[in-house]
Amino acid sequence: MMSSFIELLASRAIYTRAKDDEAELTRLYTLLQQGEWTQENFLHRQMRKHFKHGHSKVNNQFIVRPDKYHTEIVDGQLVVVIKIAAKYGQPIRLVTTTNGKSVDPSGKNIRIIVKDNVTEIHYAFKKPLGRPRGTEVIAVDKGYTEAFVDSDGEVHGVGLGEIMTEYSDKASKTGQARNRLYALEQKHREAGRTAKADRIKTNNLGTKKINARKDKVQKRIRNNAFRAAHSVVDKASLVISEDLSRPIAKRRPWKKYNRRMSALARGTLAEALESTTQQRKARHVLVNAAYTSQMDSNTHLLEGKREADKFYCANGDVLQADFNAALNLLHRYSDQEITLYTPHKEVRRVLLARSSGATERQGARVARDQNLLSTVCG
């Protein structure tokens, strides 16, 4: 549908062009109103001019419509033949590494991406239904050494922390060394030794190895995250979690943790949960995670204390910290006062009010017991 604003702009252009010709004015207005403006070159130009459309900032990829390419099998390999105008040359033939038996882009838009002298062909397809889901209702909290810890105390995706720690520490060390080389390169360039500076820049400040290492780690993280998500959905028909895509808010951020538990890992965990639950017809519900790692899961109040990966409850129990948080997330699902979008300050106010009420009730019960004891003794 054409927006009224674009229609107004086109109407003004029509009036400016044909205000002295009543018949032409009526014809152009009719084509515009009936949505047949593609039949008139002038109206088509106006629509292209005024219609707001996306602008790509990438220069290594393009989209090909289904009617502009076809596929064929040559010597056992799938070949994608892209049609281009004859004045620009022969059709582009992309020989793939697959035999085509498990790949079928026919009838779909394809995206051609050229990256590091390798051409990738992407297309969208509908995922088939996954294996049957579980029947339980569980909550999961993201961990560091593992992807998830559920409200039954089971861990999923063991080894995630090792992957991130290894990559993060290596990337940090590489970055520090590159900073020294960059300073050296700038020093030589300022001193007029441009040849030396150019050699350092060409041979020591490239990004091919860094990008390759990052891509490899991304694949390992995705593999771990999706395995963990499938393990969760094997148990559950309803999965409750915090919003994993949001940054971790801390008054005193642990720099190494924030670097290791990067946005990449958190986003991948969120994507894995959402995609897996959709594919296997389970439900995924987000809840407000404010203070769930600081609450005692026995009382759901702001009491107890977390130290590293342990939570010390008010009654003396010691729980794994992520397990304690998962139990609080499960309880938060049914909390009518705290919604997903309740600000954290309001969440704290509600929790403190509950804690105050609990303290008053405990004090009244202690006083009542003491009165009863004094009456009996008397």
Side-chain angles (χ1 to χ4, degrees), residues 25-66:
L25 196 66
T26 301
R27 187 183 72 86
L28 292 176
Y29 275 135
T30 301
L31 290 174
L32 179 64
Q33 293 297 329
Q34 294 179 351
E36 298 177 352
W37 46 267
T38 55
Q39 300 177 12
E40 169 62 41
N41 289 339
F42 169 72
L43 292 179
H44 205 168
R45 287 198 303 273
Q46 294 304 312
M47 293 300 295
R48 289 200 305 270
K49 176 180 178 181
H50 297 297
F51 185 77
K52 291 185 178 181
H53 52 276
H55 294 275
S56 175
K57 296 183 180 180
V58 297
N59 58 6
N60 67 331
Q61 55 187 273
F62 58 94
I63 304 293
V64 184
R65 294 189 336 223

Side-chain angles (χ1 to χ4, degrees), residues 268-321:
T268 302
L269 291 175
E271 178 193 355
L273 267 184
E274 188 64 29
S275 175
T276 303
T277 50
Q278 287 183 3
Q279 183 187 10
R280 298 178 62 179
K281 303 298 181 182
R283 287 182 60 209
H284 178 212
V285 179
L286 299 178
V287 297
N288 194 324
Y291 298 101
T292 51
S293 62
Q294 302 174 40
M295 294 166 52
D296 188 332
S297 58
N298 293 315
T299 62
H300 307 294
L301 300 175
L302 280 174
E303 53 188 14
K305 184 178 182 182
R306 177 174 179 168
E307 293 184 2
D309 62 344
K310 291 182 174 59
F311 190 91
Y312 295 88
C313 300
N315 65 357
D317 292 345
V318 180
L319 302 177
Q320 204 275 346

Side-chain angles (χ1 to χ4, degrees), residues 196-215:
K196 177 72 172 178
D198 290 341
R199 285 196 298 272
I200 293 176
K201 184 176 181 179
T202 301
N203 299 323
N204 301 102
L205 295 176
T207 59
K208 285 186 178 181
K209 290 183 178 180
I210 291 176
N211 292 338
R213 182 197 299 165
K214 185 176 181 179
D215 290 343

Side-chain angles (χ1 to χ4, degrees), residues 140-333:
V140 295
D141 182 69
K142 67 174 180 289
Y144 180 75
T145 56
E146 61 286 318
F148 304 112
V149 177
D150 67 31
S151 50
D152 292 335
E154 184 177 347
V155 299
H156 308 268
V158 177
L160 178 65
E162 295 178 2
I163 297 173
M164 292 192 295
T165 299
E166 178 186 358
Y167 168 72
S168 179
D169 292 348
K170 188 175 293 185
S172 178
K173 186 177 180 180
T174 300
Q176 293 172 2
R178 283 172 62 88
N179 288 340
R180 290 192 292 269
L181 285 170
Y182 178 75
L184 184 62
E185 182 256 344
Q186 291 295 310
K187 179 180 178 181
H188 285 301
R189 196 172 297 281
E190 291 171 0
R193 296 186 287 271
T194 56
K196 177 72 172 178
D198 290 341
R199 285 196 298 272
I200 293 176
K201 184 176 181 179
T202 301
N203 299 323
N204 301 102
L205 295 176
T207 59
K208 285 186 178 181
K209 290 183 178 180
I210 291 176
N211 292 338
R213 182 197 299 165
K214 185 176 181 179
D215 290 343
K216 184 177 179 180
V217 170
Q218 285 179 344
K219 292 175 182 178
R220 292 180 64 191
I221 290 176
R222 286 183 62 85
N223 183 52
N224 185 289
F226 274 85
R227 285 178 179 272
H230 276 290
S231 177
V232 170
V233 181
D234 283 341
K235 297 175 58 178
S237 59
L238 172 60
V239 181
I240 302 162
S241 78
E242 60 181 301
D243 189 350
L244 298 171
S245 62
R246 293 184 180 181
I248 300 171
K250 289 186 177 180
R251 185 172 297 179
R252 295 180 180 178
W254 177 22
K255 293 173 63 176
K256 288 186 178 180
Y257 179 86
N258 284 342
R259 171 163 49 85
R260 291 170 180 170
M261 195 63 179
S262 62
L264 164 67
R266 292 195 300 272
T268 302
L269 291 175
E271 178 193 355
L273 267 184
E274 188 64 29
S275 175
T276 303
T277 50
Q278 287 183 3
Q279 183 187 10
R280 298 178 62 179
K281 303 298 181 182
R283 287 182 60 209
H284 178 212
V285 179
L286 299 178
V287 297
N288 194 324
Y291 298 101
T292 51
S293 62
Q294 302 174 40
M295 294 166 52
D296 188 332
S297 58
N298 293 315
T299 62
H300 307 294
L301 300 175
L302 280 174
E303 53 188 14
K305 184 178 182 182
R306 177 174 179 168
E307 293 184 2
D309 62 344
K310 291 182 174 59
F311 190 91
Y312 295 88
C313 300
N315 65 357
D317 292 345
V318 180
L319 302 177
Q320 204 275 346
D322 295 327
F323 173 46
N324 179 75
L327 291 172
N328 286 322
L329 288 170
L330 182 62
H331 179 265
R332 184 65 56 83
Y333 172 66

Side-chain angles (χ1 to χ4, degrees), residues 73-138:
I73 303 297
V74 179
D75 296 331
Q77 298 298 113
L78 178 68
V79 179
V80 177
V81 182
I82 302 174
K83 305 172 188 177
I84 60 175
K87 64 179 181 180
Y88 296 119
Q90 298 296 318
I92 300 173
R93 298 177 63 86
L94 301 177
V95 182
T96 68
T97 56
T98 178
N99 57 15
K101 293 182 179 179
S102 59
V103 176
D104 183 20
S106 302
K108 305 177 181 69
N109 287 346
I110 59 174
R111 181 186 296 269
I112 311 299
I113 302 177
V114 180
K115 186 189 302 182
D116 295 332
N117 297 323
V118 175
T119 302
E120 301 175 354
I121 302 175
H122 297 246
Y123 69 95
F125 66 95
K126 187 176 180 179
K127 282 187 176 182
L129 290 176
R131 58 183 182 266
R133 65 177 187 268
T135 58
E136 300 178 33
V137 176
I138 63 173

